[in-house]
Amino acid sequence: MRTAVLLGFRLRQEVLEWSGAWWFLLTLVVQAVVAPLIGLFVWSAVYPDNSAIGRYYVAVILVTLMTESFEQHTFSERIYDGTLSHELLRPQPVVLGVIGSNLAIRAWLTFLGAPIVVLTGVALRTGFEWRSLVASVPYIVLAAVLVFLWTFMLSLTAFWTNRVHAVVGFGSQLIFLFGGTAAPIGFLPDTWRRVAEVLPFYGMNGLPAEIAAGTRDGGSLLYQVVWVVVLAAAVWALWRAGVRRYTAVGS
Amino acid sequence: MTVVDVDELSMSYKAPVRKGGLRAALGSLVRREYREVLALDQVSFSIAPGEVAGFIGPNGAGKTTTMKILSGILHPTSGHVRVLDSVPWQRRSTYLKRIAFVRGSQPVGGSQELTVMDSLEYQRLLYDVPRETFRRTLADLEALLDLGPLLERQLRALSLGERMRVGLAMALIYRPEVLFLDEPTIGLDVSAGGQIRAFVAEYVEQTGATVLLTSHYMADVASLCPRLILIDHGQVQYDGPLAELSARLSPYKLIRISAEGSADPSAFGDVVEAADGQWVLRVPRDEVARTTSQLLQAFEVVDLAVEEPPLEKVIDQAYREGLR
């Protein structure tokens, strides 16, 4: 209960904090939608008669906006400037603040990016079925958790290196390539497709988008849950090791 | 009974080193070399409940490292530490709710876009402060720190002095029993520094809190700390009353004298200063009474005062020459 109250207050704080940087959030929205739009233009040109492609990429834009994570900025910088010490001395788990920032930014990106999603959908005359949209909700929630865990895990490398932005940038490229943004994974060569279906990135983007677009009836929630468990364990181990290092050396 | 108990505390860490030049840089890719830096070496001291101790030393002496260990940010290489019967670096909630660590270099953490009142409200939730207690403490802090005009301001827009006042308010809103103050007046002007000192003294008197304070400003130490712990090269060099340190380092006192006419008291001691008819003589401590009496007999004295040597000079001497 106390954790929920603290998280709620932190979320409110972060929403307020980011409200002062709406112009910066707009640049983030643009960055988030550019890659799916390029994918949309390319694959629509390749398959002009396939209406599912437009629907799929509109869903990818929405999923991307709802799941974006920036822990390399919100968390890693605290390691670099030493303000993580403030967080360590607060009687609450540090991750609560990280989650608060994450949810606040996602809420703002979804709010500011919604017009782009609607405009793209209207321009392409894409129609979504309510049944598919409702069915995609648990997949989107798990995708949001997966992207957060993946980005947070890579951001934790800031305990060891000053080049965290390169590390997280590399991780984002993997999501772009294997997650279904560069191409719907059904369009990939067989071997690549099989690899992509096993890696966690498809569950971060392509799978929920396919369910929302109605191009796939059902997927395996278990596949996403397994990766949530694996990444959560990795985050926990890295956090423990990182804090041990931070508290041995200081800032 | 002690609140802070430090026993043979040592802290060392490895710092990467390499020679200059491309060859050494390439070599370090294959084989990195480290040098062991000893930040603290067998430091021991204890602090009783309600005591205010000054923790001083030159830059790099180990003051902030010790403070970080005591608050729970760092864990030491060896030694034992108990603060309020807890091991600090375990950072248990029950412990963190009873201490505060305020750094003059970073007085306020958290979201800088928030107002001071929002930040205080968050502290209330975080530290489980009952609403009535919160209202009462806030009223006290408003009066003591002149917080009223700041409550609706955003943290990022505060001046350095205001940030320090707000940092103290955020740390004290939950009434911690132990206060670690690291350079609380750094960068502040004379008035703002004085205000912070007065506030800390008042808080200690009201609550009986235990305080460990580091500062390079001797005014902080002289006005707040009856006890001084001097640390240098990671070792405690002195632990005792301030006056005793002064007497130990400087076997002299200063006699400040103004006399009628063209008086020249240089025969009564070493002249440290002479200007506008006022003389300052350096006299061995055990000769102060006799010299004073002789001066009063020899001249028509307008004013005479016996002073300890300036604390800055005493401490500077301790830093440069050591105490041994």
Side-chain angles (χ1 to χ4, degrees):
Chain A
M1 181 60 191
R2 181 174 182 270
T3 305
V5 171
L6 286 173
L7 182 59
F9 198 89
R10 188 70 184 232
L11 181 57
R12 188 178 141 251
Q13 271 191 338
E14 294 288 344
V15 168
L16 283 174
E17 171 148 7
W18 285 98
S19 67
W22 60 269
W23 50 270
F24 174 66
L25 290 165
L26 270 180
T27 67
L28 295 182
V29 169
V30 171
Q31 284 177 47
V33 303
V34 162
L37 280 177
I38 291 172
L40 169 66
F41 297 149
V42 170
W43 292 107
S44 295
V46 174
Y47 300 106
D49 299 327
N50 190 342
S51 63
I53 287 178
R55 221 166 41 243
Y56 170 76
Y57 270 107
V58 169
V60 167
I61 293 173
L62 186 62
V63 171
T64 304
L65 289 169
M66 292 172 82
T67 60
E68 279 285 78
S69 284
F70 297 97
E71 278 65 48
Q72 73 274 28
H73 297 292
T74 60
F75 172 76
S76 301
E77 292 298 331
R78 288 180 174 272
I79 297 173
Y80 292 153
D81 65 19
T83 51
L84 181 66
S85 301
H86 285 284
E87 300 290 329
L88 286 174
L89 292 185
R90 287 182 161 166
Q92 68 167 14
V94 173
V95 74
L96 223 55
V98 183
I99 293 173
S101 301
N102 181 286
L103 294 178
I105 294 173
R106 283 173 176 177
W108 273 113
L109 292 191
T110 307
F111 175 69
L112 293 171
I116 297 176
V117 177
V118 172
L119 279 176
T120 312
V122 170
L124 297 172
R125 292 184 189 149
T126 51
F128 285 88
E129 281 186 27
W130 282 108
R131 206 169 53 86
S132 302
L133 288 176
V134 172
S136 70
V137 171
Y139 293 92
I140 294 176
V141 171
L142 285 170
V145 176
L146 278 173
V147 176
F148 167 71
L149 289 172
W150 175 248
T151 314
F152 187 36
M153 182 184 79
L154 297 178
S155 300
L156 286 168
T157 58
F159 281 119
W160 292 272
T161 173
N162 287 327
R163 311 284 178 199
V164 72
H165 294 282
V167 175
V168 176
F170 175 71
S172 301
Q173 291 308 314
L174 291 179
I175 298 177
F176 172 74
L177 279 175
F178 295 107
T181 304
I185 66 163
F187 292 177
L188 295 177
D190 252 10
T191 314
W192 285 95
R193 183 175 52 77
R194 278 200 293 275
V195 170
E197 279 177 344
V198 176
L199 293 173
F201 313 113
Y202 175 52
M204 296 176 187
N205 216 328
L207 176 62
E210 283 178 6
I211 304 281
T215 54
R216 181 171 178 152
D217 274 342
S220 173
L221 277 173
L222 183 65
Y223 147 75
Q224 283 180 304
V225 171
V226 167
W227 274 112
V228 165
V229 172
V230 170
L231 290 180
V235 163
W236 183 77
L238 272 176
W239 168 255
R240 298 256 305 177
V243 169
R244 205 176 305 130
R245 180 185 162 83
Y246 184 84
T247 57
V249 180
S251 60
Chain B
M1 189 185 159
T2 57
V3 170
V4 177
D5 206 358
V6 178
D7 188 26
E8 302 203 336
L9 180 67
S10 292
M11 177 79 183
S12 62
Y13 55 91
K14 285 181 181 172
V17 288
R18 69 172 160 84
K19 293 189 171 68
L22 185 62
R23 196 173 161 179
L26 290 172
S28 74
L29 292 176
V30 185
R31 187 161 170 253
R32 279 198 148 193
E33 285 181 35
Y34 295 88
R35 181 183 298 149
E36 182 125 332
V37 178
L38 190 61
L40 294 175
D41 184 13
Q42 309 267 309
V43 168
S44 298
F45 62 87
S46 56
I47 303 176
E51 196 173 7
V52 181
F55 198 52
I56 64 166
N59 291 330
K63 304 183 297 293
T64 301
T65 302
T66 308
M67 290 286 225
K68 284 181 174 177
I69 291 172
L70 295 183
S71 61
I73 295 172
L74 294 181
H75 66 78
T77 313
S78 66
H80 301 280
V81 177
R82 308 271 311 171
V83 180
L84 294 165
D85 282 329
S86 296
V87 177
W89 51 91
Q90 290 176 346
R91 291 190 299 279
R92 299 200 190 287
S93 281
T94 45
Y95 170 69
L96 296 176
K97 285 179 181 175
R98 297 172 71 191
I99 65 137
F101 181 29
V102 183
R103 297 168 74 175
S105 55
Q106 290 176 341
V108 187
S111 304
Q112 298 298 301
E113 297 291 326
L114 297 176
T115 64
V116 173
M117 192 61 212
D118 274 339
S119 303
L120 287 167
E121 184 65 26
Y122 186 51
Q123 292 290 90
R124 182 187 72 75
L125 281 173
L126 205 52
Y127 289 89
D128 292 322
V129 183
R131 273 190 193 282
E132 190 45 45
T133 313
F134 176 78
R135 262 196 291 271
R136 232 182 8 252
T137 312
L138 184 58
D140 289 349
L141 292 172
E142 267 187 78
L144 285 168
L145 287 167
D146 193 19
L147 274 189
L150 305 181
L151 290 176
E152 293 178 358
R153 301 254 308 271
Q154 285 178 301
L155 293 178
R156 70 175 165 81
L158 299 176
S159 71
L160 185 61
E162 289 168 342
R163 290 174 77 80
M164 194 61 225
R165 275 151 60 201
V166 169
L168 277 171
M170 285 175 66
L172 303 182
I173 196 75
Y174 56 94
R175 298 262 164 184
E177 295 160 57
V178 178
L179 207 50
F180 299 111
L181 298 175
D182 188 17
E183 306 268 3
T185 57
I186 193 166
L188 300 186
D189 63 37
V190 177
S191 323
Q195 195 182 14
I196 298 296
R197 281 193 288 277
F199 169 73
V200 172
E202 179 88 24
Y203 180 79
V204 169
E205 196 183 310
Q206 275 184 13
T207 63
T210 306
V211 179
L212 185 62
L213 175 142
T214 75
S215 182
H216 286 300
Y217 299 123
M218 289 308 120
D220 293 349
V221 178
S223 64
L224 289 170
C225 311
R227 176 184 168 195
L228 215 57
I229 301 169
L230 196 151
I231 186 171
D232 195 9
H233 295 107
Q235 292 182 319
V236 173
Q237 306 285 352
Y238 174 81
D239 184 353
L242 180 59
E244 198 176 294
L245 175 70
S246 187
R248 186 165 148 190
L249 275 170
S250 179
Y252 299 95
K253 281 200 172 189
L254 301 177
I255 298 178
R256 190 176 293 273
I257 178 171
S258 304
E260 294 278 354
S262 54
D264 180 0
S266 56
F268 294 89
D270 297 336
V271 178
V272 176
E273 208 179 295
D276 303 328
Q278 193 178 71
W279 297 71
V280 179
L281 303 176
R282 195 169 66 167
V283 178
R285 282 177 185 270
D286 53 0
E287 291 177 20
V288 168
R290 187 164 53 83
T291 308
T292 307
S293 161
Q294 287 173 345
L295 283 167
L296 288 168
Q297 284 172 12
F299 305 107
E300 277 196 42
V301 175
V302 175
D303 191 19
L304 186 143
V306 178
E307 298 170 354
E308 287 287 344
L311 190 54
E312 272 80 4
K313 290 202 171 162
V314 174
I315 299 298
D316 174 51
Q317 189 186 339
Y319 289 175
R320 280 187 293 107
E321 298 169 16
L323 291 166
R324 286 168 187 157

